[in-house]
Every structure is written in C-alpha cells, then in structure tokens.
Amino acid sequence: MAAAPAAMASKARVEALNNSRHVLDFQSAFDRPYQFLALSEQATIEWGGTGDAAAPHAEGGFVKRHGDDSAFGVYFGRRSADFSEAVAKGNTLVATAGMTGTFMLEQNGLNLFYASKMADWTYGITVKYSNGKDDGAGTKANSAGLAVGATNGAWDVELVQGLGAKSELNDGTNTATVESKALTSLTVGYHVSPEMEVYGNFKTVKVEGSFPAPVNDVTVEKTSYKLGMVNTLVKTDEGNFFYGVELASSKTKDTTESMTLPVYMGVEANAASWLVLRASVAQNVILNETKDISGTPATDGDKEDLDSTKMAAGAGIKFGKSMIDATFSDTVGGTINSNNFFSQVAYTYTF
C-alpha cells in the first residue's frame, strides 16, 4: 500500500491515476476503511451541486485521529455508483412505461467510519445511510450499507455489503420502484513486496424493478470477477511511476458478458514545490470482447471488440497545508479548454 502525501484526498487524484489499487487516498478508503488510519488528519470537500441533476454532486468530510492507534470521521453526500446506475436505468423504463417524473437518487448521504489496531492487524468499518422524499413529485428513496476491512501489511481483506436501497415513484396514476436486493463485493490482496500487490475481487449485484405495463417486473443480475497485479516501478521523493494489469470477467444475466485484460500505467510527480502533476493511460490488450446474450434474434451472439484506449490527467496545487486537486475531463476531442479544465475539483486541508 503506497502512502499518500499529506493532503492527497480527492476523487480528482484517484481518477487521474486510473483508480489504481496501490493509491492510498480518502476516496479509496470508503471501501477499504482500515486505510483511514494511514491517512493524515484532514478535511476534504468535493466541488459539486445540490440535487439529483448535479454532476458532480457536492460532498465532503474529515478524518481525525484518537491517539496513535485509532481514527474516526464523518462524510456527507457520498452516493453509491451502483445504485445511481440502477436509478438511471429505471428512469429509461419509466419513460417506456409512459409515466411522468423520474426516480430519486440517494439524498443527504451520511458515512461514519472508524479504524483501529489489534495486535498486528489494522481494521476499519464504514457505515452509510441516506433517506429522502418529495411528496409533491411523488418520489422517495432510502439506502444503507457498510464496508469492513483489515490488513496486516502482507494481506488485505475487504468486504462491501449493501443493506438495501430503494427508490419509489408515484406520478398520480401509476407507481414504480427500483430496489437493490443484493450488493456484495469481496476483495483479497497480497503484498508480494512493498512495491507490488496481487489481488482478486468478486462482486455481485441484483436489482429488481416494478413498473406498469408494458414494462412490468424487471430483474437485473450482474456478476464480475477480477484478478490483478499493480507494481510501483519507480518511487522517489519527487514522484512515482506504476503499472498494472487485470483479468476482468463480467456477466449481466440475459444481457451481455465480457472478458477483458486491461493494462495501465501512470505517473504522479512533483513539477514544483507547489504543483503535483498526474496522468495515466489504459488499454485492453488481447482480451477485449463483449458478447450479446440477450436471446434477441437480431443481436444474440453478436460480439464487440472496440477501441479501449483511454487516458486521464490532473493536477494538485499546494498552498501550505491546503491542496486543490483537479482533473481534465472530456478527452474525446483530445484537447484541453475552458470547458474541461478543472472539471472535477476538491479542496483538502491537513490539520
């Protein structure tokens, strides 16, 4: 596990480094809560708006130590990417069913976390809860979940478990629901050396939806597996260069299945005493196939093997104990301009 510089705690940093597992950051610690004990005391705020239309959405919180062997904190506004994806899919089916309105996303999310030590192990737990409603729009939503994890320096074990999430819509004539019935993610990692880790992940998601005709009841079941390795090839006081590879399999029942082999590399380096630059590039190598298994006569069995090369970049600007992190987005056009410069922004203050 690579230690994060004092004020590295943002989505911008994690995204610019391809969400690599070796990155220690406030944002990666939600699913690996033992990491909160390795972070410096800090407060972080993600730039964003309020409401379901906000993208990005405002969020932020802090981590504080209690002695040398424990840490705790609170975080506001964080939303589950899996449930947000389910709500977005549900909204397309709402339109197909002829209903008006849209499902509500998670509202006023609250995360509480704690990390401590026991003998040679560092462990942590994160719990989350959200609840909201809008009687005028006929919508309401709630969710709950937890993550637990532990490490002894050689082995890492992490479990993310959804405890239920539901969004309901009543347009005055019909009702519809989207409900997460299962969300489990289990990861085990082994540190071959201080620079290299190998890991495996299993994840399953089940979402059920209820809609008026012609959509009726819908069930989405998705299962994925990953086997990966990440290695920091060069690490100095001025920066580091890393690379990684994953064998990833994913199947959405009666929809699609895929097998890919993403290979990625990235750099995080000090360009000046006040400036950190980050960039990464990734591509599926040899294995890059998605197959239609929907059973639809016109498309069943169709395969796709399309361009997968992608990059991400960002910067961190230091002001004493403060840091502003940002990413450059919308790289489809291959240019940086006023529309995509500093698109994902966070402010972090180290106590």
Side-chain angles (χ1 to χ4, degrees), residues 28-49:
S28 64
F30 287 103
D31 292 347
R32 306 169 67 185
Y34 55 83
Q35 288 189 335
F36 283 116
L37 193 57
L39 294 173
S40 59
E41 296 182 313
Q42 57 194 263
T44 182
I45 300 170
E46 295 281 341
W47 184 276

Side-chain angles (χ1 to χ4, degrees), residues 1 20 67 98 185 197 213 222 270 307:
M1 182 170 62
S20 177
S185 177
E197 182 182 10
K222 185 175 181 179
N270 293 322
D307 185 31

Side-chain angles (χ1 to χ4, degrees), residues 16 31 35 49-50 81 99 112 120 124 132 157 160 171 175 177 207 211 213 222 232 239 310 313-314 318 325 332 351:
D31 292 347
Q35 288 189 335
T50 302
M99 295 181 65
L112 304 175
D120 294 333
V157 182
V160 179
D171 67 358
T175 61
T177 63
V207 178
F211 302 85
K222 185 175 181 179
T232 301
K310 62 179 182 179
K318 306 174 188 176
D325 284 315
V332 175
F351 304 149

Side-chain angles (χ1 to χ4, degrees), residues 203-215:
K203 183 177 181 179
T204 181
V205 177
K206 181 178 181 181
V207 178
E208 294 182 355
S210 177
F211 302 85
V215 177

Side-chain angles (χ1 to χ4, degrees), residues 69 116-123 151-152:
D69 295 334
S116 188
K117 290 184 177 180
M118 181 180 295
D120 294 333
W121 288 85
T122 300
Y123 66 91
T151 181
N152 65 358

